[in-house]
Amino acid sequence: DVKVTQSSRYLVKRTGEKVFLECVQDMDHENMFWYRQDPGLGLRLIYFSYDVKMKEKGDIPEGYSVSREKKERFSLILESASTNQTSMYLCASSLLTGDNQPQHFGDGTRLSIL
Amino acid sequence: AQKVTQAQTEISVVEKEDVTLDCVYETRDTTYYLFWYKQPPSGELVFLIRRNSFDEQNEISGRYSWNFQKSTSSFNFTITASQVVDSAVYFCALRNNAGKSTFGDGTTLTVKP
């Protein structure tokens, strides 16, 4: 089974801090994704990556950046955390671009910015 | 831009009833992929079903079935003989050929015993 592991289940940080959310997948998937999930808004795509060192902006990239130095790891960075970035963050991976392969999700990181 | 609309915010049924979750999408792409995911109370999203834009054949898989109609841009999902364990949030998602995915806002299904 595919395993997508997010480094923290819960995280509390302060406004202005630089925050790193880590995600690792163990199935050699090319694609990796970061979403945030807020009540009533579904999942919104922040960034995705289809290869090492490659990244594409999603629908809400402002205030975020990403890093993919190795195929299995995709990091989401909040450069200067703000309270409106309090949310559930979900990482996902999938095999190949342009194919009908489903995404496999991690358990999520519930991030609170105080 | 692509968009997915799940008009039903919440649905409540009694066990053993059939329930259909609606999904309408918008895209300018000719090739795209549609998915349904389930998010139980535990939180992890789980893939359920998928359909390619060039394949309108509808199928049944156990208690799940789906109705893909390109003419109306709809991809509805039906659970037959619902069970309490089906209670979850269900998301419809659209992916284009470049890998970008868009999810609907989700439908919360409650199945009462």
Side-chain angles (χ1 to χ4, degrees), chain B residues 43-57:
Chain B
E44 182 177 340
L45 273 89
V46 176
F47 161 71
L48 295 176
I49 59 174
R50 65 183 160 206
R51 181 54 61 196
N52 303 333
S53 57
F54 43 85
D55 182 2
E56 289 193 67
Q57 181 178 355

Side-chain angles (χ1 to χ4, degrees), chain A residues 26-40:
Chain A
D26 65 359
M27 283 300 292
D28 205 34
H29 283 176
E30 287 82 4
N31 297 334
M32 295 190 75
F33 308 81
W34 274 107
Y35 297 89
R36 62 176 284 176
Q37 182 177 14
D38 301 287

Side-chain angles (χ1 to χ4, degrees), chain A residues 1-4 6 35 37 43 90-93 101-108, chain B residues 21 34-50 64 75 77 79 85-93 95 103 107:
Chain A
D1 276 353
V2 176
K3 186 67 178 175
V4 178
Q6 295 185 230
Y35 297 89
Q37 182 177 14
L43 276 71
L90 296 172
C91 176
S93 72
Q101 296 301 313
Q103 294 179 46
H104 300 266
F105 286 84
D107 290 338
Chain B
L21 308 181
L34 296 161
F35 302 82
W36 276 97
Y37 291 87
K38 173 182 178 181
Q39 186 177 40
S42 59
E44 182 177 340
L45 273 89
V46 176
F47 161 71
L48 295 176
I49 59 174
R50 65 183 160 206
Y64 298 156
F75 184 50
F77 171 57
I79 303 173
V85 294
D86 295 328
S87 296
V89 183
Y90 290 82
F91 291 95
C92 179
R95 183 194 302 177
F103 282 71
T107 298

Side-chain angles (χ1 to χ4, degrees), chain A residues 37-96:
Chain A
Q37 182 177 14
D38 301 287
L41 296 178
L43 276 71
R44 291 181 292 168
L45 181 64
I46 305 172
Y47 269 96
F48 67 103
S49 168
Y50 52 87
D51 202 351
V52 175
K53 296 191 185 296
M54 304 303 289
K55 60 184 179 183
E56 293 286 341
K57 292 181 180 178
D59 297 316
I60 51 164
E62 296 78 19
Y64 303 94
S65 63
V66 290
S67 172
R68 192 156 181 211
E69 297 296 320
K70 294 184 178 180
K71 192 175 185 179
E72 66 271 19
R73 185 180 297 270
F74 192 36
S75 303
L76 179 69
I77 304 156
L78 285 67
E79 298 290 343
S80 178
S82 63
T83 55
N84 62 11
Q85 292 178 309
T86 291
S87 185
M88 170 69 88
Y89 289 86
L90 296 172
C91 176
S93 72
S94 73
L95 189 62
L96 294 176

Side-chain angles (χ1 to χ4, degrees), chain B residues 9-20:
Chain B
T9 305
E10 296 182 10
I11 300 176
S12 181
V13 299
V14 177
E15 207 169 17
K16 297 184 184 176
E17 285 186 19
D18 298 347
V19 57
T20 296

